Amino acid sequence: MYDIAIYLYLFGVAIASLFDKKVRTMWRGERAAFDKLRREVEPGASYVWFHAASLGEFEQGRPLIERLRKSHPEYKILLTFFSPSGYEVRKNYDGADIICYLPLDTRLNAIRFLRLVRPVKVFFIKYEFWYNYLHILKHRGVPVYSVSSVFRPDQIFFRWYAREYAKVLRCFTHFYVQNDISRDLLAKIGITEVTVTGDTRFDRVLSIREQAKDLPVVEAFRGDSKVFVAGSSWAPDEDIFIPFFNERKDWKLIIAPHVISEEHLQQITCKLKGRVARYSQATPDEARDADCLIIDCYGLLSSVYRYGDVAYVGGGFGVGIHNVLEAAVWNMPVVFGPNNERFIEAQGLKAAKGGFDISSYDDFNGIMTRLMTDSHALADAGKAAGDYVASCTGATEKILGDVKL
């Protein structure tokens, strides 16, 4: 049944690739993966294979990749992606020896792929459960680890009608899960090779903080003012915080939108009152005189957060919030929209009183008015956010300390 579904999906992808650029990029990348592996796999080398669906999962696996590369240089690293949003951004990442797409999970593809690579160990990040790859790896006796994985009662593995498919989980040598709920759910279906280690993203954001860039334009913009940083914002987010700061000129506003297109940048500018500067076009002197600074390029947000006093992380009025940890690691309160229930780190920040969710302008107004007028409340919430991140680090050490290399 699974193989039939995969071939139907493969047929659908082939058709969709005729009309959708992203799908076409993925389709071509998967087909080119075998040629790349034939050219680049070094005969006789020992490969450790890391697979991440997309960019977010890569960031979770990155601390493991870099720690393993440093402590065990005798191994080669293969990194695969499923999504173009991961591969196209990180295809030149220098922490891996080979980077390619993972061919779709047909039995023939899995056999060809594993014959070329012959990995000695495999790490699948978070939600990756490829039936054919996993069964063949188990048959060959290759240790396979699931890291930073999260399980919920509504997932297919825990439904009565999917007992046969759930056997794919028995192909893993060990699960390194984020929380006790995941461990308990796996135990209910007889899987006990499980350790609660937390999320490697906490280790990653500490590393990002240590590597943060100095941004003279942003520093000049900040000056001696308090600053609110809105990261990865969408239009519904902007419709809440922009009207608030249009009326409050005692703080400055930085907006780093999730979508950086001229159309979206113009929409943001039209909503703003006061002086607006764009990061890519402003000198430090020009930025100093602005009320709002728009970050109109990618790759800077994690460094921009360092200049903030309160952060807002977007996406919570859509499919889900973006990375709240990149902001919280700078010891400042984080505000986000209502769609955050599935995000463990957001729930943890809320419980620690370093994170606040909103559903409306009135919610935002209440929270921000308190943080802006009560310096003790601001300091306490910021400390709570930073302490929460610090308390959750160490997953990378736990995993690599347990895995026999």
Side-chain angles (χ1 to χ4, degrees):
M1 191 71 177
Y2 176 85
D3 286 336
I4 292 173
I6 285 292
Y7 279 108
L8 288 173
Y9 175 81
L10 187 62
F11 177 74
V13 168
I15 298 300
S17 69
L18 300 173
F19 308 99
D20 187 288
K21 183 179 179 181
K22 183 177 179 179
V23 175
R24 185 161 59 250
T25 299
M26 181 181 72
W27 171 249
R28 290 174 177 172
E30 288 180 1
R31 296 171 70 188
F34 288 115
D35 288 337
K36 184 167 189 174
L37 292 171
R38 277 190 286 268
R39 290 194 311 269
E40 298 185 15
V41 168
E42 192 175 306
S46 295
Y47 282 89
V48 177
W49 171 26
F50 288 84
H51 176 64
S54 190
L55 190 59
E57 289 78 13
F58 165 75
E59 291 297 329
Q60 288 177 290
R62 186 169 178 168
L64 292 166
I65 294 171
E66 295 179 355
R67 190 68 55 85
L68 187 147
R69 196 171 183 83
K70 182 178 180 180
S71 57
H72 291 278
E74 68 271 22
Y75 291 110
K76 299 285 187 181
I77 304 293
L78 167 66
L79 172 63
T80 60
F81 289 97
F82 180 73
S83 167
S85 61
Y87 176 79
E88 296 302 326
V89 174
R90 294 301 182 194
K91 61 186 176 184
N92 297 316
Y93 169 60
D94 60 7
D97 297 282
I98 303 174
I99 304 173
C100 65
Y101 283 94
L102 180 65
L104 199 63
D105 187 31
T106 66
R107 183 170 177 78
L108 179 59
N109 279 350
I111 290 170
R112 291 175 64 196
F113 182 93
L114 294 171
R115 280 178 178 169
L116 284 167
V117 178
R118 299 187 183 277
V120 296
K121 294 197 184 294
V122 180
F123 293 85
F124 279 15
I125 313 300
K126 199 171 183 179
Y127 291 132
E128 294 303 279
F129 308 105
W130 294 105
Y131 189 92
N132 287 311
Y133 282 103
L134 286 166
H135 276 85
I136 295 170
L137 286 164
K138 182 176 175 63
H139 178 74
R140 294 185 176 189
V142 180
V144 184
Y145 307 97
S146 176
V147 300
S148 291
S149 43
V150 178
F151 292 92
R152 298 184 302 276
D154 60 351
Q155 285 176 301
I156 189 170
F157 308 113
F158 311 109
R159 302 299 180 93
W160 64 268
Y161 55 80
R163 289 174 184 169
E164 191 65 30
Y165 178 69
K167 290 179 181 178
V168 71
L169 299 180
R170 299 185 182 278
C171 295
F172 285 93
T173 306
H174 203 91
F175 288 87
Y176 296 97
V177 299
Q178 292 190 30
N179 55 26
D180 293 338
I181 294 172
S182 298
R183 178 193 58 200
D184 295 344
L185 284 169
L186 291 171
K188 287 180 179 178
I189 58 173
I191 295 173
T192 57
E193 288 296 324
V194 182
T195 303
V196 180
T197 56
D199 190 345
T200 51
R201 276 188 303 174
F202 288 89
D203 300 327
R204 175 62 185 148
V205 294
L206 279 185
S207 175
I208 290 172
R209 174 174 174 152
E210 291 169 1
Q211 299 167 20
K213 305 170 186 174
D214 291 324
L215 303 173
V217 169
V218 183
E219 188 165 351
F221 171 78
R222 175 186 171 89
D224 297 324
S225 301
K226 294 288 189 182
V227 175
F228 180 88
V229 180
S232 301
S233 65
W234 295 80
D237 305 304
E238 292 148 9
D239 287 340
I240 286 179
F241 64 75
I242 287 178
F244 178 86
F245 284 99
N246 278 341
E247 303 303 322
R248 295 290 300 263
K249 297 302 182 183
D250 46 339
W251 279 41
K252 289 192 169 187
L253 172 62
I254 296 176
I255 304 175
H258 184 75
V259 176
I260 298 176
S261 65
E262 190 59 34
E263 180 183 7
H264 189 196
L265 296 175
Q266 288 293 341
Q267 289 172 354
I268 293 172
T269 303
C270 289
K271 294 174 184 177
L272 288 162
K273 297 177 182 177
R275 296 161 295 184
V276 180
R278 285 199 192 182
Y279 178 85
S280 67
Q281 301 172 2
T283 65
D285 286 340
E286 290 168 338
R288 188 176 292 111
D289 294 332
D291 301 304
C292 176
L293 179 66
I294 300 176
I295 309 300
D296 56 350
C297 51
Y298 292 108
L300 296 181
L301 180 55
S302 59
S303 295
V304 169
Y305 280 130
R306 71 186 297 179
Y307 298 99
D309 296 282
V310 176
Y312 181 96
V313 175
F317 288 91
V319 296
I321 55 173
H322 297 289
N323 192 343
V324 296
L325 299 179
E326 285 188 344
V329 75
W330 291 102
N331 301 306
M332 62 178 167
V334 185
V335 184
F336 38 82
N339 190 356
N340 60 73
E341 295 85 359
R342 294 182 295 106
F343 298 83
I344 294 173
E345 62 279 12
Q347 299 303 308
L349 275 174
K350 286 166 59 179
K353 302 189 184 308
F356 307 90
D357 63 353
I358 62 164
S359 297
S360 65
Y361 177 87
D362 288 340
D363 291 344
F364 182 78
N365 179 64
I367 289 167
M368 283 305 303
T369 299
R370 181 169 66 89
L371 294 175
M372 294 170 75
T373 57
D374 185 340
S375 60
H376 294 294
L378 177 61
D380 289 347
K383 184 177 185 303
D387 288 350
Y388 168 70
V389 175
S391 71
C392 295
T393 58
T396 302
E397 291 292 346
K398 291 175 186 175
I399 294 167
L400 291 183
D402 192 53
V403 172
K404 304 298 184 237
L405 293 164

